[in-house]
Amino acid sequence: DARGDQCDGCSRTLDAIELIKPRCLVDKAHVVTTKSSAHMYLKLDDIQPQTEEWIKRSWKTGKWSPNAVINGDGVIIDPRLKGGLIPTPLTRDLTWGVPVPPEFETEEQGMKGKFDAPIGYPSITANYTPEWKQWWFNSKNVRLYQFMGKDNVYFHTVYWPSVQIGDGRDWTMLHHLSTTEYLNYEGGKFSKSKNRGVFGPAAKDTGIPASVWRYYLLSTRPETADAMFSWSDCVAANNNVLLNK
């Protein structure tokens, strides 16, 4: 039941043609087939030696979490790096999203989300201030700290740094990485697309004070192992811990 090009179960990145029994959720009678089209690719395999060198240099000075792509002994553990990176597509046959620049476009195509999403970091800063390069092209004076779940580690320690290295400019790159295991929801994974979990508007509508949310979520933060969000535990945290103080 992978949705798109990443498996929700193991986080493996998939080629669309690897999907078993692909189906369309909009029209279940539609027969999914393949077609040939030209696309732009990022040669991650050519950049891999430089990426690995950067990882081995950066993880220790930045004190990365041990569940990143490299363990506490300095050994690379990410299966994609160990198996050898392969060229990855930058474009897709969709008309919505960030368009491909006209000088490169061969068909009606858009940029793949995993490529344009990290570019959102500097572009949001550029939208905020014309002095954005003081943050994003200032590696000697700026340190970048990032916090995320383990499913995003690859894109922030391998994929996006490879893009920066391949670009050749003096980017401000990841310094410290704090990453957690999964916070699951009542026996399953949080999933907006499957409407499983509690998210911003719904959390607000519960009427639970923000201080209670902060305490419960911090107390169950999955530092070293997967944790479980439970409504009964949330109530107990409020009644038995906060109200008893």
Side-chain angles (χ1 to χ4, degrees), residues 226-240:
D226 290 354
M228 187 70 63
F229 178 97
S230 163
W231 283 109
S232 60
D233 288 347
C234 181
V235 172
N238 180 66
N239 296 344
N240 301 334

Side-chain angles (χ1 to χ4, degrees), residues 7-244:
C7 175
D8 289 339
C10 66
S11 297
R12 177 188 167 204
T13 302
L14 301 168
D15 190 307
I17 61 175
E18 295 180 284
L19 296 176
I20 300 172
K21 296 181 180 179
R23 59 193 183 277
C24 175
L25 294 180
V26 177
D27 181 2
K28 294 183 179 180
H30 176 71
V31 177
V32 180
T33 186
T34 60
K35 74 170 188 176
S36 297
S37 61
H39 288 278
M40 298 169 59
Y41 278 76
L42 175 65
K43 295 182 178 179
L44 289 175
D45 48 337
D46 287 354
I47 306 171
Q48 181 168 349
Q50 296 168 268
T51 302
E52 288 193 7
E53 181 182 342
W54 171 79
I55 290 172
K56 292 176 179 178
R57 185 173 66 248
S58 303
W59 75 274
K60 195 168 187 178
T61 56
K63 298 180 179 179
W64 293 8
S65 297
N67 59 350
V69 296
I70 187 168
N71 65 20
D73 296 322
V75 178
I76 289 179
I77 57 176
D78 182 85
R80 284 160 287 201
L81 284 171
K82 292 174 67 175
L85 298 178
I86 60 176
T88 183
L90 302 180
T91 56
R92 55 185 176 179
D93 292 328
L94 290 175
T95 56
W96 55 269
V98 178
V100 175
E103 61 267 32
F104 299 109
E105 191 172 358
T106 57
E107 299 178 28
E108 289 188 337
Q109 296 178 338
M111 305 302 297
K112 287 188 73 72
K114 64 182 180 183
F115 175 68
D116 67 57
I119 297 175
Y121 294 132
S123 66
I124 289 171
T125 311
N127 190 58
Y128 174 72
T129 172
E131 306 299 327
W132 65 276
K133 290 184 179 180
Q134 292 186 13
W135 282 270
W136 287 103
F137 288 107
N138 192 358
S139 61
K140 293 182 179 179
N141 299 305
V142 177
R143 286 186 170 181
L144 176 61
Y145 289 71
Q146 293 190 309
F147 303 81
M148 66 194 67
K150 63 183 179 182
D151 54 331
N152 280 318
V153 168
Y154 170 79
F155 295 103
H156 291 78
T157 59
V158 179
Y159 185 91
W160 173 233
S162 295
V163 173
Q164 294 176 301
I165 292 169
D167 178 66
R169 289 180 288 178
D170 186 27
W171 281 92
T172 298
M173 298 181 68
L174 173 67
H175 171 66
H176 175 71
L177 176 69
S178 176
T179 180
T180 64
E181 301 295 315
Y182 287 134
L183 177 64
N184 294 316
Y185 179 82
E186 296 283 9
K189 287 185 66 175
F190 273 90
S191 174
K192 282 187 176 180
S193 60
K194 296 180 180 179
N195 197 30
R196 183 193 301 127
V198 56
F199 303 98
K204 180 181 178 182
D205 292 343
T206 63
I208 298 175
S211 57
V212 176
W213 281 114
R214 280 194 292 268
Y215 170 77
Y216 177 63
L217 292 175
L218 285 172
S219 67
T220 57
R221 189 173 190 263
E223 296 277 356
T224 58
D226 290 354
M228 187 70 63
F229 178 97
S230 163
W231 283 109
S232 60
D233 288 347
C234 181
V235 172
N238 180 66
N239 296 344
N240 301 334
V241 180
L242 298 179
L243 293 182
N244 276 342

